[in-house]
Amino acid sequence: MLRVFTLAAMLVVPFSMAALAQNAEETPPEAEVSPEVANVEPDMTVTRLASIVTALDPDATIEPRGMSFTVASVPVTIVMDPIADRMRILVPISSSEALGEAELLRLMQANFDTALDARYAVANGRLWSTYIHPLSPLQTEQVISGIAQTVTLAQTYGDSFTSGAIMFGGGDTPGLIRELLDLGQEL
């Protein structure tokens, strides 16, 4: 769980500090700005997204329809279609060939209550951690959060199946965790 907080802090803090500094420079103290206007960023573009990614990994590969980079030793790919106004953050986890019914069920349970905005997905013979969002309305902190959640979801596969510290109530995971704790006490 500490790994989740460390990764999120590592990604969010530098951008939050930069955003605060930028807002302080752009808004004179005497200016009256409504709360709704103060937090509005321009539409997310491929160029803005590339600047976020290269701030995270200066060695990132940036192409017109995709970006590849590394966060916490995890390979991350972002694919986007500006015309369709969509983007996806993708992290490969493993081959999907050996996924059994019980594991697929567990992935669906995690998608309901512990995966937050990231999701497990299967495509092209692979299990992925993914975050899917319209491109233009994305805010900088949503990009950072999406990357952190996607990386964390991949890192916690097979263990806690979580993309962060929050768990949505009403799902199956709390009962599964209780069962594991009870099993550990019996051993």
Side-chain angles (χ1 to χ4, degrees):
M1 195 57 98
L2 181 59
R3 175 175 61 197
V4 173
F5 290 121
T6 304
L7 177 61
M10 181 176 74
L11 293 175
V12 174
V13 169
F15 282 94
S16 297
M17 299 294 282
L20 288 173
Q22 181 181 8
N23 285 343
E25 292 171 9
E26 294 176 0
T27 307
E30 67 277 356
E32 291 290 327
V33 179
S34 69
E36 299 82 28
V37 174
N39 293 325
V40 174
E41 292 181 13
D43 282 354
M44 186 60 65
T45 62
V46 172
T47 302
R48 284 190 63 223
L49 190 56
S51 70
I52 294 167
V53 167
T54 54
L56 294 172
D57 180 0
D59 296 325
T61 301
I62 309 295
E63 297 178 1
R65 308 254 308 173
M67 305 172 194
S68 299
F69 56 104
T70 303
V71 173
S73 301
V74 175
V76 180
T77 300
I78 297 179
V79 293
M80 63 244 152
D81 183 346
I83 294 170
D85 196 31
R86 301 300 294 178
M87 61 78 64
R88 291 175 188 237
I89 301 170
L90 304 164
V91 173
I93 298 173
S94 68
S95 169
S96 63
E97 310 255 335
L99 291 174
E101 187 177 326
E103 191 164 13
L104 287 170
L105 175 62
R106 182 65 192 106
L107 294 174
M108 293 298 97
Q109 290 167 326
N111 278 350
F112 184 83
D113 58 15
T114 56
L116 304 178
D117 299 323
R119 293 285 181 262
Y120 288 110
V122 174
N124 300 316
R126 296 208 57 81
L127 173 62
W128 301 87
S129 172
T130 186
Y131 175 88
I132 302 167
H133 199 282
L135 178 63
S136 65
L138 269 174
Q139 301 288 297
T140 300
E141 288 194 17
Q142 288 175 305
V143 173
I144 301 305
S145 176
I147 293 168
Q149 288 184 49
T150 307
V151 168
T152 302
L153 192 63
Q155 290 175 325
T156 62
Y157 167 73
D159 183 24
S160 60
F161 297 90
T162 182
S163 65
I166 300 170
M167 184 183 313
F168 179 75
D172 296 326
T173 298
L176 295 169
I177 291 171
R178 259 190 311 283
E179 287 176 21
L180 288 173
L181 292 173
D182 291 345
L183 179 63
Q185 289 176 356
E186 291 173 12
L187 301 177

